[in-house]
Amino acid sequence: MVLSVQEWQENPAPPTEEAALPEVSLYGDGRMIVATAQSGALQTAREYRLTPGKLRAVYRQAARAGLTRGCDFSGDVLDGAGMVITVHTGRGPQKTTVKVPWGRRSGTSGKVVGFRRSLDPAHWPARDFSVPPRPYQVDRLAVLPVAALEGPTRPWPITEVNIQGTRLCTVLRGQRRQEADVLARRVSPATRWTRGGQAFCVVFRPLLPNEPDCSALERTP
């Protein structure tokens, strides 16, 4: 992992926004995975392959913005929207936090916001990529039951998913992952499910290459 960008609209996040994909995840082999609009209840992403030259250029831009040192620009703001940019260096991960509003920032925090706005591969020229972009290919899907408001429910069909205990997260692979993928695209994040007398919503979260299991999904703005 070279860098990641995690944004949030509220703090704490609503239950159906738990474990959201990072907006940007950049890896040392040039893979850049960018979160895209949800397909039903399924979080989705697009995968880009940066050329070695473009990868180095992005890292240099991050360094010029001060992101290899890390800083907290939250000030006295305790909640609300914001972002964390994490850059991995020889000294370990360096985290920079910025809270909204972003528009009138100047100085170092303004450089951070400017870097974030430039990190949009959909508007980069084709020469920056070694292969054409494609939808992120998911081989492991984390399924997380979360609290639900009152309302109508439908029966939960995938028995392998854990809905009891303290670690409400299950990673599905193979055929079960495919079934969950199809199911997620047909419903909304607010769909209420029931099993064993319990009602819940479900977060469908693809795991990234650096995320081995559910333990990687702890949210840390």
Side-chain angles (χ1 to χ4, degrees), residues 56-210:
R56 290 191 295 270
V58 170
Y59 194 86
R60 286 195 299 268
Q61 290 167 358
R64 285 197 293 268
L67 293 165
T68 54
R69 297 187 297 274
C71 193
D72 189 342
F73 296 103
S74 300
D76 296 328
V77 180
L78 299 179
D79 53 18
M83 68 176 170
V84 172
I85 300 179
T86 303
V87 176
H88 294 260
T89 72
R91 304 184 309 280
Q94 305 295 312
K95 293 188 176 184
T96 299
T97 304
V98 179
K99 294 289 186 73
V100 296
W102 301 347
R104 297 181 179 178
R105 287 188 175 271
S106 59
T108 303
S109 64
K111 291 179 181 178
V112 172
V113 172
F115 172 79
R116 170 63 187 103
R117 289 174 174 164
S118 73
L119 210 58
D120 185 0
H123 294 93
W124 294 349
R127 64 175 179 272
D128 288 339
F129 309 109
S130 56
V131 296
R134 65 174 186 173
Y136 176 52
Q137 304 298 307
V138 179
D139 62 358
R140 294 161 299 135
L141 182 67
V143 181
L144 301 88
V146 296
L149 299 176
E150 294 296 324
T153 62
R154 55 195 301 176
W156 175 252
I158 304 176
T159 57
E160 288 84 355
V161 173
N162 179 31
I163 63 168
Q164 295 180 328
T166 58
R167 295 181 64 83
L168 299 182
C169 178
T170 304
V171 176
L172 300 178
R173 299 173 174 82
Q175 181 64 32
R176 283 306 193 197
R177 182 204 61 76
Q178 295 177 27
E179 293 173 1
D181 186 294
V182 172
L183 176 67
R185 293 178 188 274
R186 293 176 176 172
V187 298
S188 81
T191 298
R192 298 176 75 252
W193 304 92
T194 185
R195 195 179 87 193
Q198 292 184 306
F200 50 91
C201 294
V202 174
V203 174
F204 297 87
R205 164 67 150 79
L207 291 181
L208 295 170
N210 63 306

Side-chain angles (χ1 to χ4, degrees), residues 7-51:
E7 298 177 359
W8 67 95
Q9 299 304 313
E10 298 179 48
N11 190 23
T16 53
E17 292 183 13
E18 291 289 344
L21 276 168
E23 275 62 35
V24 179
S25 301
L26 179 61
Y27 297 87
D29 62 0
R31 279 179 298 176
M32 187 177 194
I33 300 172
V34 179
T36 52
Q38 290 198 174
S39 177
L42 180 67
Q43 298 183 38
T44 66
R46 195 156 184 80
E47 180 177 332
Y48 300 83
R49 288 275 183 166
L50 276 57
T51 63

Side-chain angles (χ1 to χ4, degrees), residues 6 18-19 167 205 211 213-221:
Q6 182 85 57
E18 291 289 344
R167 295 181 64 83
R205 164 67 150 79
E211 296 174 335
D213 51 40
C214 291
S215 65
L217 302 185
E218 296 180 4
R219 181 176 176 274
T220 55

